[in-house]
Amino acid sequence: MKTHILIGKLFLDSFNILKEIQKEIQKDLKSLGFQEEIEVEFQSLNFMDSFKKNFFTLLMLSIMIDSKISKKNIVKYGKIILYLRQIVTSTDNIIDDESKGIIFISRLKNNVVSNSLVMLFCQNFLTKTCLEIDFKSYLSQKVFNKIYSIAESESLRDRE
């Protein structure tokens, strides 16, 4: 029973940190000259909706919380996770001519152009956030190695 309570508390804490991460991403987006055209779809989620939509993100944040990583660094790693998710989603959107994800440009109706631009500025913010992390720390090296292994596994897909 104690384990269930601990896991529930970790997920609730990760949900609260996710809201902070989302606010930080919104701050990043406000630095863009066309920020009034950007729509972000994560403001109105309650815990259960977020749990369904962001399970793996919440799980990763929970693991970081349980590992006693500082909240400041969890927010940075969380931003990296969300920017990576959006970049992967935007890439998939270009291939499938869709408009999914959490960040959209309302005025652009061409999905390829819109997703390309979203991907570019997410890459810019991802790079900026990565540069804020202490590369000498063992944890950051481990995280970047894991990010590389995810990228490597994505390249194993069929081209079809």
Side-chain angles (χ1 to χ4, degrees):
M1 184 70 168
K2 287 182 181 181
T3 305
H4 292 85
I5 293 171
L6 176 61
I7 291 171
K9 182 175 177 356
L10 283 171
F11 274 115
L12 187 58
D13 290 345
S14 65
F15 171 69
N16 290 325
I17 290 177
L18 180 61
K19 289 192 288 189
E20 288 183 44
I21 294 164
Q22 292 167 343
K23 286 178 187 175
E24 289 295 315
I25 288 173
Q26 287 180 317
K27 283 182 192 175
D28 288 347
L29 295 173
K30 285 183 180 183
S31 70
L32 299 171
F34 54 94
Q35 54 99 12
E36 63 278 346
E37 302 294 328
I38 298 174
E39 295 177 14
V40 183
E41 289 189 8
F42 50 48
Q43 298 164 324
S44 62
L45 294 178
N46 61 36
F47 176 76
M48 287 310 295
D49 289 339
S50 183
F51 188 80
K52 292 174 192 174
K53 191 171 186 172
N54 301 299
F55 175 77
F56 288 106
T57 300
L58 292 172
L59 178 63
M60 288 185 272
L61 294 174
S62 295
I63 291 168
M64 288 186 253
I65 292 168
D66 193 52
S67 299
K68 309 293 186 237
I69 296 171
S70 74
K71 187 175 178 180
K72 177 181 157 188
N73 283 337
I74 293 172
V75 169
K76 287 179 186 177
Y77 289 125
K79 284 175 64 175
I80 290 169
I81 291 166
L82 291 184
Y83 285 134
L84 282 171
R85 280 180 60 190
Q86 184 60 54
I87 290 167
V88 169
T89 300
S90 291
T91 303
D92 189 57
N93 286 345
I94 291 169
I95 294 167
D96 298 335
D97 193 24
E98 294 178 326
S99 185
K100 295 180 181 176
I102 57 173
I103 302 172
F104 307 93
I105 303 174
S106 60
R107 187 179 280 177
L108 299 178
K109 301 304 178 203
N110 182 317
N111 285 335
V112 173
V113 173
S114 178
N115 282 299
S116 296
L117 187 56
V118 169
M119 207 168 44
L120 286 171
F121 64 68
C122 283
Q123 174 62 45
N124 182 49
F125 293 132
L126 172 70
T127 301
K128 180 183 166 208
T129 304
C130 288
L131 292 173
E132 293 172 358
I133 295 173
D134 177 16
F135 286 100
K136 294 178 183 170
S137 81
Y138 171 74
L139 180 61
S140 64
Q141 289 176 7
K142 194 171 184 177
V143 168
F144 287 117
N145 287 337
K146 294 297 180 188
I147 290 171
Y148 175 78
S149 67
I150 291 167
E152 189 176 40
S153 68
E154 284 290 322
S155 69
L156 295 176
R157 290 187 189 188
D158 291 338
R159 289 187 172 192
E160 298 172 19

